[in-house]
Each structure stands twice: as structure tokens, then as C-alpha cells.
Amino acid sequence: MIGPPSPPATVTVDELTDSTAQLSWSPAQEHGSPVTLYLVQTRNPYSVGWTRVSTVPEVIDGSTLTATVVELNSWVEYEFRVLARNSVGVGAPSPVSSKTRTEDAVPDAAPLDVNGGGGSRSELVITWEPVPEELQNGESFGYIIAFRAFGDISWTHVATSVPGAARYVYRNDSIAPFSPFHVKVGTYNIKGQGPFSPVATIYSAETEPSSMPTGVWARSVSAAEIEVHWQTVSFHAERVLGYEVVYWEDDTKPETMGKVRVPGSQTSVTVGGLEGSAQYFLTVSAFNTAGTGPFLSAINATTKKPAPAQPPLNIEWTLIGPLLSLYWEPVVAMDLESEVTGYQVSYRSQKHKEVTTLMTVGAAAELTLLEDDIYVIHIRALSGGGLGPPSEPLHIHQIILKPVLKPVLSLS
């Protein structure tokens, strides 16, 4: 009976180097069709399942029972198996070879993403992405951290023997705040020193800003929002990355404290999520990676009364052609609510979903509905405290009647 070849009975690892493995195996039974090709697969503790590997010769014909697996990682434990193929298909894999470890070698991988910065005064913080274990090439793996200040010729070298290390902090009182350094990180193991990463520029820790923004003022824009403005720090020895606004109701309500940060080019921010009719204290400071500078004396602002809680009711409408006229009962604000200043009417067709919004002062509005579709309409009261809740959705079915063309009868 013709079928795929049987699996080779044995696979043997005859010789290993730091990147190759010499294999040999017993021939597969043909099952009525000659073996045309052998395939070699491998797996290791870091791979996901079995994968095909590169070999010499690149194509292993059916008469060849040996091959050299290439492009292996050094100091990694591998297993191998072989499959045979004929004109019918690929047979089952051979039994797995014994586990064998490639020889160790000098590291050939350098750390990636060398970066750093920040930290405390007089510190140089250096970070990198650790080299994976399967690329460490041998025992006693570690890192060599080299750095020098701009303008210096010689490098300072520090070694760490922790394979998973990803950070080093150099402390020296002579380091000036926010000073540039050239930094590179290399590797080593028991066989010797590997390559260094490309040189990166990293700055030492900076000190927090010593100056304060000026001209701070605030105003309430709704029941839940206060707008805060300031002038940038004009003269400062330290770097300013941005500004921090801290706000709170009073000292007896620490749970109301919050803060928001904005970039250094920004001179205003709207603080949201506040309670209506409440007084808030606010202060502004400059910040950088070292922390925040001194805060200004707090100013205060009171949020507006909340928007009316009552939605528009008793909505009536008439539709004449494309013109829809809407009327509703005016919303009357309660004592603790903001006065109604107008209404927002929003509508969309079910076909297009795009929402159209218009504002009106009185409790009436006119819309033009040009689509042959069902329109959904909501109405909200407008106030100094913001938008009130929407009315119940109003569904209007607009039907556009198309003219019927009648044939013209010729008179003869």
C-alpha cells in the first residue's frame, strides 16, 4: 500500500559548536514511494513548539542521512527531530533526539533602548532593555555601563553581574543638575566582552523649578467646570516642563482634592468634574522631572448653580412638507438651579446617524427634514450651569412623495 514514509527510527547529535549541530538519522521506510526529502525541526526552552531550521545542505534529498543545523544560539539546550517526505506526503516525525546544549561564546547582542534621566539631585540614571537569556551565550553574564560628561575624553566603566538588570544609578555630588552625558551599555560573560550599544545622550537629574507662575485668575464656566489662567514663568534657572493646578473645596474635605498637569506652552486649563454651587480653592506651580516648584497663594472660584433637572415636556409638532415646527413647555429653574437661557435641539436621521444641533432662545424651533427617513429628536434646556437632561426622544417619520410621471398620449 502506498503512503507517506515512516519516521526515521533514530536521530543522533554527533557534534556541536556554539552555533551548529551535526545530525545523523536512520533511513525512513518508503511505503511504496521513494523518499524525496528530509526535513529537520528543533525546539528549545524559549521557542513555541517545533520549528523548521536552516541546514547544510539547504535541501536534504532522500539519499542523504546527515546534515548540519546552522544559525543556532550559543549556550542553549536543543532537541531535534526529522521527518521524511515522498510523493504521497510528509510522514510522522522521528523520536526526539537527546537534549544537547550548544557551546558557549562571547556575547554578540548588545542591550536595546538605552535611555534614562530623572532621579534625585546629583544622580545619573541609566536604563536599558535586558538581553534575553537565549542571547546571553554563556554563564556569568552581565553588563558594562560606560558614561562620560559632554566634553570629557575618557569613559567611566561600571560592571554589574545581574543578568536581568535594567537600571543603574551613578551618584556623585559633583554632577550638575540636568547635565548631558554620553552613555553606552555593553555585555560580557565567561568567554569575554561582547558589543556595546550605540551611544545615547542622557541628562542627569534636575532640580525642581524655583520660580512661580504669575497673574493667576479663575472663573466658573459651568456647574462642573472652572477655567484657570496664568502667565508662564519668565526667568528661571531650572527647566520647566509644564504646570500643575491643584484644587480642593476646603481643608475638611481632602477627598475633593485633585490636580491636573499641562505642557509648559499652555497657560490655561479647564478643571472639570466639580460640584455645583461650591467654592473651590486653586493654586498653580511649575514642574519638571524633579518635582513641583513652590505653589502660589490659593485663589478661589465658585462653580455655577447646576442646570435645571427638569427636561422639556409636552412637546408638540407639526410637519408641513419638509418643515417641522416644534413647541414645548418652557423649563422653569428651581431656586438652586441656573436660569434657563435657551434650548438645544439635536436631531439625526436613522439612515445617516450624523447629529445636527441648533440653539434657540424660546420654547420653539423649526427644522428642515429633507430625507425620506425616520428622525430622532432630543431637546435640552441651556443654562449658565450647563445643559439639562434631554427630553424623551421624539421620532418623526418624514415621507418625501415623488412625482408620478404619466405618459403623454399623442393625438393623431
Side-chain angles (χ1 to χ4, degrees):
M1 180 177 179
I2 298 177
S6 66
T10 59
V11 177
T12 304
V13 180
D14 299 319
E15 185 180 349
L16 283 169
T17 69
D18 58 4
S19 62
T20 66
Q22 180 73 38
L23 305 183
S24 60
W25 53 90
S26 56
Q29 296 180 10
E30 296 182 352
H31 288 178
S33 176
V35 175
T36 57
L37 190 70
Y38 285 103
L39 308 171
V40 179
Q41 296 178 335
T42 185
R43 70 179 177 186
N44 62 64
Y46 313 104
S47 64
V48 180
W50 290 91
T51 57
R52 188 173 175 181
V53 290
S54 299
T55 59
V56 176
E58 185 175 353
V59 178
I60 308 170
D61 61 43
S63 62
T64 302
L65 301 178
T66 182
T68 301
V69 180
V70 296
E71 300 177 6
L72 300 177
N73 290 331
S74 303
W75 200 243
V76 172
E77 198 171 63
Y78 286 95
E79 295 175 292
F80 300 95
R81 68 183 188 184
V82 178
L83 302 85
R85 186 170 74 184
N86 62 14
S87 61
V88 179
V90 178
S94 69
V96 179
S97 70
S98 58
K99 293 182 179 180
T100 51
R101 184 185 292 273
T102 50
E103 295 180 354
D104 54 3
V106 171
D108 51 16
L112 301 175
D113 194 24
V114 175
N115 212 317
S120 302
R121 186 189 296 268
S122 301
E123 287 185 347
L124 175 66
V125 179
I126 303 167
T127 61
W128 62 89
E129 185 179 317
V131 174
E133 186 176 353
E134 64 268 30
L135 300 179
Q136 293 176 5
N137 287 11
E139 295 181 308
S140 302
F141 182 86
Y143 300 95
I144 302 170
I145 302 99
F147 53 92
R148 66 184 181 190
F150 267 32
D152 289 355
I153 298 175
S154 59
W155 294 85
T156 297
H157 292 82
V158 179
T160 174
S161 60
V162 181
R167 186 174 187 266
Y168 174 76
V169 180
Y170 173 68
R171 297 179 179 87
N172 193 305
D173 291 340
S174 65
I175 298 178
F178 206 61
S179 299
F181 282 78
H182 284 144
V183 175
K184 58 183 179 179
V185 181
T187 54
Y188 72 91
N189 64 16
I190 197 171
K191 296 291 286 187
Q193 183 176 317
F196 274 94
S197 67
V199 174
T201 300
I202 297 172
Y203 287 80
S204 62
E206 54 190 338
T207 55
E208 61 273 6
S210 59
S211 301
M212 297 181 292
T214 57
V216 178
W217 60 278
R219 69 182 183 96
S220 173
V221 292
S222 73
E225 297 173 317
I226 292 176
E227 198 174 78
V228 189
H229 296 258
W230 61 89
Q231 294 176 8
T232 58
V233 174
S234 300
F235 303 101
H236 49 87
E238 304 82 16
R239 187 173 62 141
V240 172
L241 282 180
Y243 295 93
E244 179 177 288
V245 177
V246 178
Y247 57 93
W248 66 95
E249 272 195 62
D250 60 56
D251 293 338
T252 64
K253 297 181 179 179
E255 72 277 3
T256 65
M257 179 176 286
K259 66 180 179 180
V260 60
R261 285 186 165 187
V262 297
S265 59
Q266 198 166 320
T267 58
S268 67
V269 69
T270 299
V271 177
L274 307 178
E275 294 292 328
S277 301
Q279 184 183 59
Y280 282 86
F281 297 89
L282 308 102
T283 183
V284 186
S285 70
F287 74 86
N288 59 25
T289 61
T292 54
F295 282 92
L296 286 167
S297 297
I299 59 172
N300 64 75
T302 300
T303 52
K304 296 184 177 182
K305 294 179 181 180
Q310 178 68 50
L313 300 174
N314 300 324
I315 302 173
E316 298 180 359
W317 59 274
T318 58
L319 180 62
I320 301 176
L323 184 64
L324 175 69
S325 299
L326 297 167
Y327 313 91
W328 58 89
E329 183 179 313
V331 175
V332 179
M334 306 297 286
D335 290 342
L336 298 179
E337 296 176 336
S338 291
E339 291 296 323
V340 175
T341 58
Y343 297 89
Q344 180 196 78
V345 181
S346 60
Y347 62 99
R348 63 175 176 82
S349 69
Q350 290 188 349
K351 189 182 298 180
H352 295 298
K353 306 296 183 183
E354 183 179 345
V355 176
T356 302
T357 300
L358 63 87
M359 305 298 180
T360 180
V361 176
E366 289 187 344
L367 310 179
T368 302
L369 310 182
L370 299 176
E371 295 282 340
D372 190 345
D373 200 359
I374 296 176
Y375 287 81
V376 182
I377 301 169
H378 291 91
I379 305 171
R380 296 170 178 252
L382 283 170
S383 73
L387 284 170
S391 63
E392 290 292 324
L394 182 65
H395 295 82
I396 304 294
H397 191 181
Q398 169 67 300
I399 300 176
I400 305 296
L401 296 177
K402 298 180 179 179
V404 178
L405 299 178
K406 295 182 178 180
V408 178
L409 299 177
S410 61
L411 298 177
S412 58

